[in-house]
Amino acid sequence: MSSFNLVQIVPSLDSGGVERGTVDVANFLAEKKIQNFIITSGGKMIKELDEKFIHVHQLPVASKNFFSYPLIARKINQFIKTNNINIAHVRSRGPAWMINLMAKNNIKTIATFHNVYGGNSYFKKMYNKGLSKMDHLVAISDYVKEIIVKKYDLQPNNISVINRGVDTEYFNQTLSTGIRDNIINTHQIDTAKKIILFPARITSWKGQLEFIDVIKKIDTQNIFVLFAGDTKNESYTKLVRDKIKQNNLEGVCKIIGSVNQDEMRSLYQIADLSLSFPLRAEGFGRTVSESLYSKTPVLAFDYGGVKNQLENLNEIYKVKPQDYQALPAKIEKLISLSEVEKKEALEGVQSVIESNFSKINMVNQYLKLYESIKF
């Protein structure tokens, strides 16, 4: 029997890295027959959870209304008491403040910083700092740790780095040709061309609009660009669609929207190149390691958590952030690699990811952290 009784608190379980990490940890504990809890507002990923050992309690923890937090905090507190929970692990700023507003006499608290949060106003800085008020802090990359130490005047020794993890076991499974063929046929992907994948939700800071300007400088006769990621930001998605149309790139670029895990794995396999060009540094940027583990070359802005992933790898994958002038030549070089050159560039990449950025490492480190807490 475990010494801890855990609840993870996350705004929603629809999609994204925060949500994936929550589900991965919960299911890992379930595999070890450790009962655990999640408080969330809901989401489609709930169906991925082991119902026998994971108990989901729905509360409006995705609320942005600070005035509602005291009431939600009371409900969380009651749930914690009723279920004899002794560790509350928050994965977002709102839930952190809800925990901060309740009595914490009988529980220990953990916060994971999944990103470096912006905002210069006094209120925004105060809101962001809510995560730092937990008993134990986790950063998802060395980059995130470095920034939060400076930003919130924290002691480095009090922060654990637990890198976000790629599911290497899943990516080692044989790819279903049915799923692969279905996504090719559904989206009419011309695999005779060089496939360039831009795997990111369609939102302004991910850099899709800026990349379209880069595409115009590349010989487009033999390339096909896929934008794969959710399109909930309808206004920005429209801007991207309109820009594609205005530049007569409809035969070159396709927005395929949100895809599931199997479909994304197929896209990595289909792609000749995967890109990561966010306008600001990401806390981690898992698509970089997922692409490389799938033996798909990457070109990425070399900063933030992506820099941590690429620092021991081939320089060919890296480009100076915002250096749009260098991108056309670098892209053309990467999609022109011979099979021998591609194999050389990918030499040792999978072992680096397995050693540093795998899901199994991540979940084991969280288990070790939970077990180390003294009550």
Side-chain angles (χ1 to χ4, degrees):
M1 186 174 177
S2 63
S3 60
F4 63 87
N5 193 17
L6 171 76
V7 63
Q8 296 183 85
I9 309 176
V10 62
S12 70
L13 284 175
D14 272 321
S15 65
V18 176
E19 294 80 0
R20 175 55 55 198
T22 304
V23 169
D24 286 345
V25 168
N27 280 333
F28 177 70
L29 297 178
E31 287 171 15
K32 294 185 172 295
K33 297 182 169 49
I34 299 173
Q35 300 273 349
N36 63 98
F37 302 85
I38 295 176
I39 295 176
T40 184
S41 64
K44 60 189 178 186
M45 293 173 76
I46 289 175
K47 67 179 182 289
E48 298 182 28
L49 297 167
D50 183 322
E51 293 181 1
K52 185 175 180 181
F53 290 97
I54 304 166
H55 308 280
V56 178
H57 185 60
Q58 293 190 224
L59 287 173
V61 288
S63 174
K64 301 289 188 184
N65 180 4
F66 203 85
F67 296 106
S68 70
Y69 286 7
L71 176 59
I72 301 170
R74 285 198 292 274
K75 291 180 178 179
I76 292 172
N77 196 24
Q78 184 58 54
F79 181 80
I80 285 172
K81 288 180 177 177
T82 300
N83 292 282
N84 297 312
I85 289 164
N86 56 13
I87 299 178
H89 181 179
V90 296
R91 291 180 173 270
S92 185
R93 293 164 291 176
W97 274 107
M98 294 167 195
I99 292 293
N100 286 329
L101 291 170
M102 60 177 247
K104 295 182 281 185
N105 297 336
N106 299 315
I107 63 168
K108 296 295 183 180
T109 57
I110 300 172
T112 295
F113 280 80
H114 286 271
N115 214 328
V116 177
Y117 304 105
N120 295 315
S121 69
Y122 171 79
F123 176 77
K124 196 70 174 179
K125 286 179 179 177
M126 182 186 73
Y127 182 67
N128 293 345
K129 198 172 182 178
L131 279 168
S132 70
K133 297 179 182 296
M134 303 295 115
D135 297 318
H136 301 268
L137 304 181
V138 176
I140 64 163
S141 66
D142 289 324
Y143 162 72
V144 170
K145 178 176 179 177
E146 177 187 344
I147 297 300
I148 64 175
V149 163
K150 293 176 183 175
K151 200 167 188 177
Y152 305 120
D153 192 26
L154 303 175
Q155 292 299 315
N157 294 341
N158 294 337
I159 305 170
S160 303
V161 174
I162 301 179
N163 289 305
R164 187 169 282 173
V166 174
D167 190 346
T168 53
E169 291 181 11
Y170 172 77
F171 280 97
N172 275 328
Q173 294 171 10
T174 303
L175 180 67
S176 166
T177 54
I179 294 171
R180 182 182 185 275
D181 292 344
N182 183 61
I183 201 164
I184 289 171
N185 295 330
T186 299
H187 298 290
Q188 297 179 311
I189 299 170
D190 186 353
T191 54
K193 295 185 175 182
K194 295 293 185 179
I195 308 301
I196 298 175
L197 177 64
F198 199 119
R201 67 182 184 273
I202 314 295
T203 193
S204 60
W205 72 274
K206 291 289 188 178
Q208 287 92 350
L209 280 180
E210 289 76 9
F211 179 58
I212 292 172
D213 289 326
V214 174
I215 297 170
K216 293 188 294 183
K217 299 174 184 176
I218 300 172
D219 181 358
T220 59
Q221 287 187 345
N222 194 39
I223 67 168
F224 197 71
V225 179
L226 299 172
F227 294 102
D230 82 49
T231 54
K232 290 178 183 176
N233 188 335
E234 294 178 4
S235 60
Y236 183 76
T237 302
K238 184 177 184 303
L239 288 176
V240 176
R241 290 190 193 281
D242 289 347
K243 191 164 186 176
I244 290 170
K245 186 175 182 179
Q246 289 160 9
N247 288 281
N248 298 314
L249 292 170
E250 290 119 311
V252 177
C253 300
K254 177 160 284 192
I255 298 173
I256 62 176
S258 186
V259 293
N260 63 34
Q261 195 174 23
D262 286 342
E263 290 168 332
M264 182 57 80
R265 186 168 66 129
S266 295
L267 288 171
Y268 290 139
Q269 296 276 348
I270 293 164
D272 295 282
L273 177 64
S274 181
L275 306 175
S276 175
F277 299 147
L279 303 188
R280 61 176 186 266
E282 293 195 78
F284 188 74
R286 192 175 59 199
T287 62
V288 169
S289 279
E290 285 183 342
S291 299
L292 289 170
Y293 200 79
S294 302
K295 299 183 180 179
T296 303
V298 160
L299 186 59
F301 284 159
D302 190 27
Y303 59 0
V306 169
K307 184 180 182 73
N308 297 152
Q309 294 173 69
L310 295 178
E311 60 190 349
N312 295 313
L313 303 182
N314 198 306
E315 291 296 316
I316 199 171
Y317 302 130
K318 309 170 191 179
V319 65
K320 182 181 176 183
Q322 320 300 326
D323 189 358
Y324 295 104
Q325 296 303 314
L327 289 183
K330 284 183 172 286
I331 289 169
E332 288 179 339
K333 180 178 180 179
L334 278 160
I335 61 176
S336 300
L337 292 177
S338 68
E339 285 303 311
V340 172
E341 290 170 328
K342 181 178 172 182
K343 186 176 180 180
E344 288 176 354
L346 290 164
E347 188 72 36
V349 166
Q350 285 191 325
S351 62
V352 169
I353 293 169
E354 287 168 354
S355 298
N356 299 283
F357 309 114
S358 67
K359 183 183 93 169
I360 194 64
N361 275 353
M362 178 189 74
V363 293
N364 272 308
Q365 286 183 70
Y366 271 116
L367 176 58
K368 186 177 178 180
L369 174 61
Y370 299 146
E371 290 179 332
S372 72
I373 291 174
K374 302 291 189 291
F375 299 101

